[in-house]
Amino acid sequence: MMEFTPHSTPKGTGWIEVIAGCMFSGKTEELIRRLRRAKIAKQNVKIFKPRIDTRYSETDIVSHSEQSLPSLLIDNPQEILKLSEDAQVIGIDEAQFFSNDLVDVCNTLADQGKRVVVAGLDLDYRSKPFEPMPQLLAIAEYITKTLAICVVCGNPADRTQRTIHSDERVIVGAADSYEARCRKCHYIPD
Ligand code: ZN
């Protein structure tokens, strides 16, 4: 996976980092890695995720490889502003489940001098950009695109294949209903 290595850390200002990719690409692992390092550096870190994602734990962000960090479950991006007044670093997981209000919230936090690290699915199961990720990618100073491995051919994979039938854009808690696929092997279900 690409290492996040800015040539120099910005001084006297906040900034936004976005980690974008398909399922099973290691987004959450990378988010946890960055936030853990900030905690080791004795920075005040707050972590948020949408209440919709209750797959593994009510209070932790947990990656598929089962690393975890305590997080706050929220319904509305505006809550992040209220709960982050004393935070220096703010982590947000599963950003695609939030409304587009998240874009203004992230800008406000960065303008307040905070480091904002956001992870999310950039494409839905039909390979359409998944709001608000496109907007977040546009306003971010640093972008990491994580790639998985295509389960069909072994190519680098940036798409999420749904393997069961549903017209819902999101099926929460159904990781076994998805596979990572490359451009060649991904298809849009009927
Ligand atoms: Zn493939």
Side-chain angles (χ1 to χ4, degrees), residues 150 153 182 185:
C150 176
C153 76
C182 73
C185 299

Side-chain angles (χ1 to χ4, degrees), residues 63-74:
S63 70
H64 289 293
S65 60
E66 297 190 346
Q67 297 180 343
S68 71
L69 277 180
S71 67
L72 297 164
L73 292 176
I74 55 167

Side-chain angles (χ1 to χ4, degrees), residues 133-184:
M133 291 299 289
Q135 291 81 357
L136 290 167
L137 286 161
I139 63 167
E141 277 87 350
Y142 303 101
I143 293 167
T144 303
K145 184 131 177 175
T146 52
L147 295 172
I149 304 296
C150 176
V151 300
V152 177
C153 76
N155 271 339
D158 69 335
R159 292 164 197 238
T160 303
Q161 182 70 53
R162 181 172 287 176
T163 56
I164 59 167
H165 179 76
S166 171
D167 294 329
E168 299 292 317
R169 196 173 196 191
V170 174
I171 311 171
V172 176
D176 56 352
S177 308
Y178 295 98
E179 291 174 353
R181 299 273 184 105
C182 73
R183 178 184 294 275
K184 178 170 62 106

Side-chain angles (χ1 to χ4, degrees), residues 2 60 105 110 138-139 142 157 163 187:
M2 275 289 235
D60 289 354
V105 166
I139 63 167
Y142 303 101
T163 56
Y187 66 91

